[in-house]
Amino acid sequence: MDEDPYADFANQDTQPLPNFTPGPYNALDPATGNLLRKSLNLGSYNYLGFADDWNQTCKEDVVGALGKWGVSNGGCRVEYGTTDMHRELERLVADFLGKEDSLVLNMGFNTNATTIPALVSRGDLIVSDTLNHTSIVNGARASGAAIRTFKHNNAADLEDVLREAIVLGQPRTHRPWRKIIVMVEGIYSMEGEYCNLRMVRDVCKKYKVYLYLDEAHSIGAMGATGRGCCEYAGVDTADVDVLMGTFTKSFGGMGGYIAADAKTIAYLRTKCAGSVFHNSLSPIVCQQILTSFRVIMGLDGTDVGARKLRALRDNSNYMRMRLTDMGLHVLGNYDSPIMPVMLYNPTKIAAFSRECFKRGLAVVVVGFPAVPILMSRARLCISAGHTREDLDDALVKIEEVADICKIRYGWSSFG
Amino acid sequence: MIIWAFFGKTLQKKQGKFDSKLSDREKKALIAEWTPVSLTPSLSASEERTVSSGKVLTGYTGRTMTTSDGIEAINCGNFDFLGMSIRGEVKEASREALEIYGCGSCGPRGFYGTIMPHVTLEERFAEFMGQGQQSIMYSDGASTSSSTVAAFAKRGDLLVVDEGCFEGLLTGALLSRSNVRHFKHNDMDDLRRVLEEIRGEDRKLRRDVLEQRRFIVAEGIYRNYGTNALGSVGGVTVGDEEVTDHQRLSGAGYVFSASACPFVSEAAVAGLGIMEREGKSMMKTLSNNLKKMLKEVDGVKGLTRTSDDRSPVIFLVLKKEREYEEEKDVLKAIEEACMEDGLAVVATGDHIGKHLLYKRVRAGIRITVNVVMTEKDVKEAGRVLKEKVRMFV
C-alpha cells in the first residue's frame, strides 16, 4: 500500500504549530526539549530580527523590568494603568516621528478600532483605501461616520471621490461634511506595496482633508533610519495628521501607538476606548519596545540598529530579485519586506504550503476571503535575521516547489 | 397595472439620485469654500485637568502604588483583585517563558503566531472552567468581547443588550450590524418588557420565533457599576468546541491581530495554578475584605452605594442627585484629594460618563477590593474617604 505522502501534513492548515517560536527557526519541543522540526521562518513579521538576537539585544532590560513591575497592573491608561515607562515610551515615539505627543495602547488592532470612533462621528466622512486592514474597517464602522472607498493606491481616484464628496455634501440633506479624513496604510500587508504617499499627501492638502496613516508594517522596516513610510517617501510627518503604528512587528513587542499633535492626543487620552477602558500595555512589553527603539535609533551606542535596517533592505531586495528571475509573479515594490507570490488557482494553496513545509520552509498562504478567490497567493516575510545562506537555501527549495505547483507565470501563462 | 406603472415612475423620479447640474466653476467655488472643522474639538477645562493631572506610577506592589509625585497610595483603583501580577510564581513563570520564547510573537495566531504557551493557556483555562468546554484567547480583554459578539451575531439577528454593558460588548453589538434593543441596567422587569414587546411584534408580523437568531448580552460584574483576576493581560472566551472553532475563523481580534506575547500567557497559566491551589482561601479573604470595606463605605455620609453586596467592585454615587457636570466635578475633586492623602480610588466622571456609547451613566466613585489589602488599609481607606467627602459634599 502506498503511503500517503501528505499524512504528516494533513492537518497542518487547521492545527497550530505549538513548537514554533518567532526566531528564524522553530526549534524545541517545550515538553521534552527535543528538536522537533526545523523550518526556516518566512511567515512572521519579525522584520528587524529582534526575535533572533533577543538574548543579546533585549533580554537583560526586559527580564530586569520584571524585578520592578508585574506583567500587568490591572488598570486602563487613565485609571492607574500609566507607569513612567509608558510616558517615556510615548515621548520616545513622538520624538522618533517628529510629532508633539503620542498615545500607546495595548493592542495594535484595537489602536485603530478604538481611535477612529473617537476621532470621527456622524456628519464626518472617512475616505478609505479599498485594501485597508480589518482594524480600520472595524473602527470606521463603529464610528458612525459615512464611509467611501477609493481604488487601491490610486491618488487620481481619491481626488475624484473627494471632489464629489465635497460638492455633494452629506447624503439627502447636502449639508457640507464637518470634516473628511483619508485613511491609508504604509505597507499593505497582503500586497507588499507601499503607499503612494506623496501623491496622497498632495491631494489631501489640496482639498483640506485630514490624513491618517497606518504604519503597522512600515514603521521600523522602511526608510533609511526606520522611520517608516514618511521617511521613505520623503514626506514631512507634519503633513500627516495622525500616524498610527504597531510594536508587534519590527519591535518584537505588542501594542500600538497613535502620534499626532498634542491637542489631538490629549483628546484621545480622555475619549478613545483603548485609553479609557482597555488594559494598559504591560510594563514589561514597554521595556522591550523601549530597548528595541534605542537599538534602532543607535542610542545604545552600537551600529546594530543601522546594520539591521541595511540587512532587511538587502535581504528583501535580493529575495525579490531572485524570485522574479525565477519566473514567479511577485507583487509589491522593491524595498518592501513583504512579498506575495501569486498562486492564482485556489487549489494550489494547500499544495504550495505543504510542499514548502515538507522542505522546511514555513510560509503563509492566503486565500479567500482575505483576497479574491482567483488571486490566491503565498506570502513571504523577510527578516534582517535571515542570512544570505538561509535565503539561498530557501530559493532552491522554492524553485523545486514552483516546478511542482507550476506557478512560473512569468514564463508561461500555464505556469 | 397602468396606475402602478404611473406611480412607479413618479416615485422613481422623486427618489432619483441628486443630480448636481453644477458648472465646473460652481463646483470649484464649492470646493474652495468648504472648510473642515478641526480634527478634534477642544477639551473642557476639567477634561484638560484629567489629562494633565494624570497619575503616572513609578512603583506598584499590589497593595500600594507609588506615583511620580512621590505619594504611596493604598490601591483601591485597579482590577488586580487577587494581587496576582506581583506574585513571585507569576513573575518566575514570565521570566522562564521570556528566556525560551523571547518577547513578541511577531504574527497573528493563524500566521505562525501560535506558540506553546497560548495552547497551554487555552487548555488549562478550559479545564479550570469545567468539563466539555474549550477556550480561545485574545490578546486584549476588550477585543475579546467585541470580536466574540460580532463573530456570532450577524445582520438580521436580534441582540437584547444591558445598557450598562462594558464598551467592548456594545462595540461588538454595533459591529455585528444586528438589530439591537437595550434594556435598563440589571432591571429584569425592563428586560421582560423588551422581550414581551418583541413577542408582540412577532405576533403582529406573524414571524416565527425560530426565524431570527436572538441573543441576550449581559456581564458577570458590571465594570461601570460594580476581569482581570489573573494578573496578566488578555481575554478568554469559553464555550464548547463548535463555539470556539467558529471564532478561530470569524473572531476579528483573533484572526487579524497579532497574538499575545507568549510570556503573558505563561503568566496567566501560573495565575490559574495559584487560583486552583489557593482559590478558596483567596475568595474567602476577598469576601472578608469586602465586608470590612463595605462597613467603612456605607458609613460615609453623602454617598450611596449602588453596587451589589457581593461585588468586589464598589460603586458609590452622590446621595443627593445634582446636575451631571457638577456631580462629576465634585467626585473628581474627591478622587484627587484622596490620592493626595494616600488612597487611590477612581472617579468615573469625564472619561466614562461622557464616552460615546454611554448616555445615561451617573458619575460615581469606584473602589475595588483586593486580597492583599490589610485591615489597617481598609480602616485608613474609610477614614480618608469620609474626610474628603465631608470636604466636598
Side-chain angles (χ1 to χ4, degrees):
Chain A
M1 204 176 82
D2 278 349
E3 216 179 300
D4 178 3
Y6 297 131
D8 289 350
F9 313 102
N11 290 322
Q12 189 220 320
D13 295 336
T14 51
Q15 294 284 311
L17 298 171
N19 54 331
F20 213 86
T21 59
Y25 300 107
N26 55 356
L28 300 175
D29 177 354
T32 61
N34 295 333
L35 193 68
L36 270 185
R37 163 179 227 113
K38 215 169 155 184
S39 294
L40 182 69
N41 186 353
L42 293 170
S44 294
Y45 307 134
N46 173 28
Y47 299 131
L48 290 181
F50 277 106
D52 306 322
D53 52 14
W54 192 81
N55 283 331
Q56 290 87 47
T57 47
C58 310
K59 183 175 167 183
E60 199 185 326
D61 287 1
V62 176
V63 174
L66 263 178
K68 189 174 179 200
W69 296 103
V71 173
S72 150
N73 38 5
C76 59
R77 285 301 306 276
V78 293
E79 297 171 359
Y80 310 112
T82 303
T83 67
D84 46 1
M85 293 178 50
H86 291 93
R87 289 300 301 146
E88 193 184 342
L89 179 57
E90 286 175 346
R91 273 190 296 271
L92 193 66
V93 170
D95 287 348
F96 186 67
L97 295 168
K99 284 283 181 192
E100 285 172 14
D101 201 358
S102 78
L103 170 66
V104 166
L105 300 173
N106 183 31
M107 187 171 161
F109 186 93
N110 275 1
T111 307
N112 272 333
T114 62
T115 305
I116 297 170
L119 279 178
V120 292
S121 56
R122 191 175 283 276
D124 300 332
L125 175 68
I126 295 173
V127 180
S128 170
D129 188 290
T130 39
L131 294 182
N132 273 346
H133 188 253
T134 318
S135 54
I136 297 183
V137 176
N138 268 10
R141 280 191 192 157
S143 71
I147 306 167
R148 304 268 163 83
T149 56
F150 67 96
K151 282 185 198 146
H152 171 58
N153 232 350
N154 187 333
D157 191 51
L158 171 65
E159 185 162 3
D160 289 346
V161 172
L162 286 177
R163 281 176 68 89
E164 191 187 302
I166 296 172
V167 169
L168 291 183
Q170 299 188 31
R172 297 175 63 83
T173 61
H174 302 293
R175 286 198 191 104
W177 295 103
R178 282 165 9 102
K179 61 177 182 261
I180 300 177
I181 187 163
V182 172
M183 307 225 160
V184 291
E185 287 187 41
I187 296 184
Y188 292 86
S189 65
M190 288 298 161
E191 311 300 315
E193 277 174 334
Y194 38 76
C195 175
N196 192 354
L197 195 60
R198 268 166 181 263
M199 307 272 278
V200 170
R201 186 256 335 248
D202 292 344
V203 173
C204 288
K205 270 202 156 168
K206 185 171 166 194
Y207 292 93
K208 292 175 285 189
V209 300
Y210 299 106
L211 179 56
Y212 183 109
L213 174 64
D214 174 344
E215 296 222 74
H217 287 268
S218 48
I219 188 71
M222 299 276 292
T225 58
R227 282 172 167 76
C229 201
C230 289
E231 186 184 32
Y232 186 79
V235 169
D236 188 354
T237 48
D239 290 341
V240 182
D241 300 281
V242 186
L243 284 163
M244 176 272 168
T246 64
F247 300 125
T248 321
K249 282 102 188 177
S250 296
F251 303 94
M254 188 178 146
Y257 66 81
I258 292 280
D261 57 47
K263 188 185 156 204
T264 306
I265 295 298
Y267 180 82
L268 288 175
R269 275 188 210 287
T270 63
K271 289 289 184 290
C272 139
S275 157
V276 174
F277 295 111
H278 305 176
N279 249 0
S280 65
L281 187 63
S282 160
I284 314 297
V285 181
C286 268
Q287 182 61 57
Q288 161 72 27
I289 304 163
L290 276 170
T291 305
S292 50
F293 249 119
R294 288 196 190 112
V295 174
I296 295 171
M297 292 166 86
L299 297 177
D300 60 338
T302 67
D303 65 341
V304 172
R307 270 190 286 141
K308 277 174 180 292
L309 283 160
R310 211 176 315 125
L312 175 64
R313 200 160 34 247
D314 290 350
N315 283 349
S316 306
N317 289 344
Y318 176 72
M319 195 71 174
R320 186 177 291 278
M321 184 190 73
R322 290 284 307 271
L323 289 172
T324 316
D325 283 351
M326 220 181 265
L328 304 179
H329 270 184
V330 185
L331 298 188
N333 311 100
Y334 273 90
D335 290 345
S336 150
I338 303 177
M339 40 206 81
V341 173
M342 294 309 291
L343 307 173
Y344 298 107
N345 188 340
T347 55
K348 293 185 179 177
I349 296 177
F352 186 87
S353 165
R354 286 168 195 171
E355 289 297 335
C356 282
F357 195 62
K358 213 156 89 179
R359 289 168 174 75
L361 295 180
V363 298
V364 167
V365 283
V366 190
F368 186 78
V371 293
I373 196 152
L374 288 177
M375 296 297 270
S376 310
R377 60 198 66 173
R379 193 181 61 168
L380 312 181
C381 292
I382 303 304
S383 157
H386 292 134
T387 62
R388 199 42 71 88
E389 292 79 54
D390 287 339
L391 295 181
D392 282 331
D393 184 47
L395 282 162
V396 172
K397 290 168 177 167
I398 290 173
E399 192 150 21
E400 282 171 33
V401 178
D403 281 331
I404 296 172
C405 298
K406 299 216 178 299
I407 52 169
R408 299 198 197 222
Y409 296 107
W411 290 355
S412 141
S413 335
F414 301 105
Chain B
M1 187 70 192
I2 295 166
I3 294 170
W4 175 80
F6 180 72
F7 275 109
K9 221 170 182 185
T10 47
L11 273 177
Q12 241 175 21
K13 239 182 212 165
K14 269 186 192 163
Q15 291 173 346
K17 209 183 145 209
F18 173 77
D19 184 19
S20 69
K21 291 230 176 66
L22 297 169
S23 69
D24 280 352
R25 258 181 70 187
E26 285 166 320
K27 280 184 187 169
K28 239 184 203 161
L30 275 172
I31 290 169
E33 271 167 31
W34 183 71
T35 35
V37 298
S38 76
L39 184 58
T40 48
S42 299
L43 290 176
S44 69
S46 70
E47 285 168 334
E48 200 85 62
R49 217 173 69 204
T50 312
V51 177
S52 59
S53 73
K55 289 129 295 203
V56 176
L57 303 191
T58 55
Y60 176 68
T61 66
R63 192 179 73 83
T64 61
M65 41 178 86
T66 314
T67 67
S68 53
D69 311 328
I71 300 166
E72 192 180 5
I74 299 166
N75 174 19
C76 292
N78 69 14
F79 297 107
D80 196 3
F81 302 117
L82 305 181
M84 282 288 190
S85 66
I86 39 95
R87 290 282 293 246
E89 290 128 290
V90 174
K91 285 194 175 185
E92 190 50 32
S94 313
R95 198 183 57 75
E96 278 173 19
L98 276 170
E99 295 202 342
I100 301 174
Y101 304 106
C103 188
S105 64
C106 292
R109 289 290 299 269
F111 289 175
Y112 303 110
T114 296
I115 297 170
M116 204 58 204
H118 299 137
V119 183
T120 319
L121 177 61
E122 289 181 351
E123 284 170 8
R124 292 279 284 111
F125 200 80
E127 252 173 59
F128 182 75
M129 294 306 287
Q131 278 183 336
Q133 303 272 311
Q134 288 206 356
S135 75
I136 175 167
M137 61 169 296
Y138 291 81
S139 46
D140 186 290
S143 72
T144 312
S145 29
S146 63
S147 302
T148 308
V149 175
F152 287 107
K154 291 278 169 279
R155 194 191 288 271
D157 294 350
L158 181 69
L159 298 177
V160 181
V161 185
D162 188 315
E163 261 180 9
C165 272
F166 170 51
E167 173 272 338
L169 286 172
L170 298 181
T171 310
L174 198 66
L175 286 177
S176 71
R177 301 180 167 194
S178 314
N179 302 318
V180 180
R181 293 284 188 83
H182 291 276
F183 63 95
K184 283 196 193 119
H185 169 61
N186 243 354
D187 184 341
M188 288 306 125
D189 293 334
D190 199 51
L191 174 60
R192 182 167 303 139
R193 178 188 63 78
V194 173
L195 292 179
E196 268 163 14
E197 260 178 38
I198 295 167
R199 190 181 294 165
E201 282 166 27
D202 280 351
R203 264 189 237 118
K204 219 157 113 196
L205 297 168
R206 300 206 180 138
R207 182 170 55 188
D208 189 21
V209 186
L210 297 175
E211 243 172 60
Q212 194 180 30
R213 300 192 308 157
R214 290 166 183 179
F215 302 84
I216 292 180
V217 181
E219 259 179 84
I221 292 180
Y222 286 84
R223 179 183 186 141
N224 302 314
Y225 297 89
T227 24
N228 180 41
L230 294 177
S232 188
V233 273
V236 179
T237 56
V238 183
D240 59 21
E241 191 172 345
E242 202 181 327
V243 172
T244 47
D245 279 355
H246 175 66
Q247 288 178 62
R248 285 193 204 282
L249 291 175
S250 310
Y254 183 89
V255 179
F256 294 105
S257 165
S259 55
C261 295
F263 81 91
V264 170
S265 308
E266 213 53 84
V269 171
L272 270 176
I274 297 177
M275 267 177 90
E276 277 174 346
R277 270 181 285 117
E278 303 169 22
K280 273 205 181 123
S281 72
M282 276 182 154
M283 287 303 152
K284 213 166 159 193
T285 319
L286 190 63
S287 80
N288 277 341
N289 285 351
L290 176 62
K291 263 185 217 141
K292 285 178 207 150
M293 185 62 93
L294 287 182
K295 220 169 172 185
E296 294 292 333
V297 159
D298 289 345
V300 177
K301 287 198 186 92
L303 297 182
T304 323
R305 177 160 61 91
T306 58
S307 59
D308 192 88
D309 282 346
R310 285 160 300 175
S311 159
V313 181
I314 302 172
F315 200 80
L316 304 166
V317 296
L318 290 179
K319 198 166 251 164
K320 281 196 200 121
E321 195 163 349
R322 309 186 194 175
E323 284 287 305
Y324 178 84
E325 293 294 318
E326 202 187 328
E327 263 189 7
K328 74 165 208 308
D329 285 345
V330 168
L331 294 168
K332 188 78 198 164
I334 294 175
E335 179 203 275
E336 280 171 5
C338 282
M339 191 67 205
E340 254 160 48
D341 210 354
L343 174 68
V345 295
V346 173
T348 61
D350 270 324
H351 64 287
I352 291 176
K354 270 178 133 180
H355 195 266
L356 312 148
L357 294 160
Y358 295 95
K359 303 253 158 57
R360 275 164 283 184
V361 180
R362 257 185 93 184
I365 293 259
R366 199 187 69 211
I367 297 172
T368 43
V369 179
N370 58 45
V371 296
V372 281
M373 52 179 33
T374 62
E375 199 161 343
K376 218 173 118 201
D377 293 338
V378 177
K379 282 253 157 65
E380 175 68 7
R383 179 194 72 76
V384 173
L385 193 65
K386 266 175 218 159
E387 192 185 304
K388 303 308 166 198
V389 171
R390 209 176 312 131
M391 273 169 66
F392 290 99
V393 178

